[in-house]
C-alpha cells in the first residue's frame, strides 16, 4: 500500500514552518543569501513552533529571556542579545517582554535577527517595534562599550 506524504504547514506571523517527510530535499540558506541543497546525509531538525507562555511569572520570564539571549546559535547574537538583555531586561514591562520574547524566539534563523539589528536587511513589519528600535540603537554602540564578553549573570 502506498503511503501519502502529509505536509503540515503553519503560518507563524509571516514565517512558514513546514514539517516535511524525510525524502523531501532540504535547502539551506547561507549568509550570502544563496540557497543550496543540503548534502543527503544531513537531516534538518524540526524546530518546534513558537508558543507564547501565557501566565508565566514575570521573574521567570526575565530569567528565561536572559538565558535564551545568551545561548544563541551564533556567537555574534549571543554577545549582542546577551549584553542587550543584561542592560534592558530588568526595566522592561510585560508588553516589551512579550515583544522581545517573540523577536528572539519566533524567527528560525539567527542570521535574520543579526541582519535586522545591524541594518543590513530591512526589518519585517511584524518585528519592527519599540524593542527592535532599542536593539538597533544598542547595536550602534555609540558609547563604544566593550561587548566582547558576556556580562556576569548576577
Amino acid at each position: 500500500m502506498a503511503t501519502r506524504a502529509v505536509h503540515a504547514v503553519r503560518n507563524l506571523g509571516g514565517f512558514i514552518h513546514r514539517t516535511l517527510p524525510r525524502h523531501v530535499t532540504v535547502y539551506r540558506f547561507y549568509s550570502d543569501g544563496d540557497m543550496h541543497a543540503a548534502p543527503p546525509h544531513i537531516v534538518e531538525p524540526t524546530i518546534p513552533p513558537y508558543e507564547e507562555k501565557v501566565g508565566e511569572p514575570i521573574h521567570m520570564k526575565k530569567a528565561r529571556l536572559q538565558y535564551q539571549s545568551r545561548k544563541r546559535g551564533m556567537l555574534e547574537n549571543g554577545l549582542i542579545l546577551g549584553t542587550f538583555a543584561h542592560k534592558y531586561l530588568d526595566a522592561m514591562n510585560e508588553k516589551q517582554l512579550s515583544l522581545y520574547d517573540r523577536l528572539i524566539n519566533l524567527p528560525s534563523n539567527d542570521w535574520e535577527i543579526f541582519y535586522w539589528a545591524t541594518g543590513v536587511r530591512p526589518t519585517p513589519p511584524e518585528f519592527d517595534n519599540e524593542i527592535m528600535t532599542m536593539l538597533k540603537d544598542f547595536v550602534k554602540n555609540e558609547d563604544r562599550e566593550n561587548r566582547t564578553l558576556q556580562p556576569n549573570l548576577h
Side-chain angles (χ1 to χ4, degrees):
M1 175 168 86
T3 59
R4 203 175 71 149
V6 177
H7 302 276
V9 178
R10 285 174 271 155
N11 188 340
L12 301 174
F15 291 91
I16 302 297
H17 172 77
R18 299 174 190 265
T19 305
L20 302 172
R22 286 190 182 268
H23 69 275
V24 173
T25 303
V26 175
Y27 291 93
R28 293 180 163 227
F29 287 93
Y30 292 88
S31 60
D32 63 1
D34 288 342
M35 185 174 71
H36 306 281
H41 67 279
I42 293 180
V43 177
E44 284 287 319
T46 57
I47 298 172
Y50 167 78
E51 293 179 19
E52 188 169 353
K53 294 173 177 29
V54 179
E56 181 179 26
I58 198 158
H59 72 281
M60 293 292 289
K61 183 175 236 175
K62 288 180 178 182
R64 176 178 57 80
L65 291 173
Q66 179 72 52
Y67 177 82
Q68 289 175 334
S69 297
R70 295 171 62 95
K71 304 296 182 184
R72 305 305 301 177
M74 54 187 270
L75 177 61
E76 294 86 349
N77 275 6
L79 290 171
I80 290 171
L81 296 174
T83 54
F84 176 81
H86 182 75
K87 185 171 185 175
Y88 293 109
L89 208 56
D90 283 338
M92 287 185 190
N93 60 38
E94 286 197 45
K95 179 184 178 228
Q96 291 171 324
L97 288 171
S98 290
L99 290 172
Y100 185 64
D101 194 359
R102 283 180 42 83
L103 173 65
I104 68 171
N105 288 306
L106 190 55
S108 64
N109 186 342
D110 256 18
W111 279 109
E112 292 171 338
I113 299 169
F114 181 79
Y115 288 143
W116 301 335
T118 57
V120 172
R121 293 192 181 148
T123 306
E126 60 269 23
F127 295 109
D128 198 8
N129 53 49
E130 63 182 304
I131 295 299
M132 181 54 79
T133 301
M134 289 170 60
L135 182 60
K136 286 179 179 181
D137 290 342
F138 181 78
V139 167
K140 290 177 186 172
N141 196 12
E142 292 176 354
D143 295 334
R144 299 296 199 210
E145 298 171 324
N146 180 2
R147 298 180 185 161
T148 57
L149 298 173
Q150 290 281 6
N152 293 329
L153 286 173
H154 301 286

